[in-house]
Amino acid sequence: QRFRSCERPWRSDCPGALGSLDCGKSPLSIGILRRTEPPVLDVQVIERLATWGGRDLVSKLIDLFQEDAPAKLEVALAAMADGDVRGVERASHALKSSAANLGASRLHYLAAEIEELASRGDPASLDPLVARLKSTFDEAVEALAEIRATGDPT
């Protein structure tokens, strides 16, 4: 499979769609900063969306992500360049949510890490993570575009 879905050594013990932050704990306290990265996509999320609304729903959601998410990324990058830590926090939160909706796990967790660190007001700790944000975003967009084109999440 191009995108792993079931191996979740990075997943916390919290219940939720993506191993999730729904438990009220911060991303750092549940161990998001681990040596292993989550998969680019959690295909189970895509499959669940397809079960609920068919491939048309999946295609529409991917289209919406491809239309809206680049602006969220640009806001985060611009805020970082301006030293606006609160702007980075807000933009990362929005990007995190958009990524989670489509199972873009790696982007979701990176944005969650950035959001958490930004909420602490420490711009120096953000630099290495924000530096990875564009390439991680591009991975998610590429994977979602492939699913959009083929209709096959595996």
Side-chain angles (χ1 to χ4, degrees):
Q1 285 186 343
R2 179 172 154 91
F3 311 112
R4 298 172 307 179
S5 63
C6 296
E7 309 163 16
R8 295 185 184 209
W10 49 270
R11 187 173 180 170
S12 76
D13 292 332
C14 299
L18 291 172
S20 157
L21 307 177
D22 297 341
C23 61
K25 295 181 182 177
S26 77
L28 298 175
S29 70
I30 61 173
I32 287 175
L33 293 175
R34 297 183 190 254
R35 281 190 261 159
T36 59
E37 282 193 299
V40 173
L41 287 182
D42 181 344
V43 295
Q44 291 178 340
V45 173
I46 298 289
E47 289 168 350
R48 190 175 318 121
L49 290 170
T51 298
W52 291 340
R55 294 286 169 200
D56 286 342
L57 174 65
V58 172
S59 294
K60 287 176 185 174
L61 291 173
I62 290 172
D63 290 345
L64 284 172
F65 181 84
Q66 291 175 334
E67 290 170 18
D68 296 339
K72 294 172 184 173
L73 172 67
E74 291 305 317
V75 168
L77 296 175
M80 187 65 190
D82 293 342
D84 178 6
V85 177
R86 295 296 168 228
V88 172
E89 180 183 3
R90 287 188 302 274
S92 296
H93 176 80
L95 192 56
K96 173 188 77 173
S97 299
S98 294
N101 288 338
L102 281 169
S105 302
R106 189 172 295 167
L107 179 60
H108 166 84
Y109 279 95
L110 178 59
E113 290 177 44
I114 293 169
E115 178 187 17
E116 174 68 20
L117 291 173
S119 74
R120 295 177 182 190
D122 181 10
S125 65
L126 293 173
D127 286 336
L129 296 177
V130 172
R132 291 181 18 224
L133 192 57
K134 175 78 168 97
S135 63
T136 303
F137 177 85
D138 290 343
E139 286 177 330
V141 167
E142 180 183 334
L144 290 167
E146 184 176 322
I147 289 171
R148 175 74 169 91
T150 66
D152 182 14
T154 60

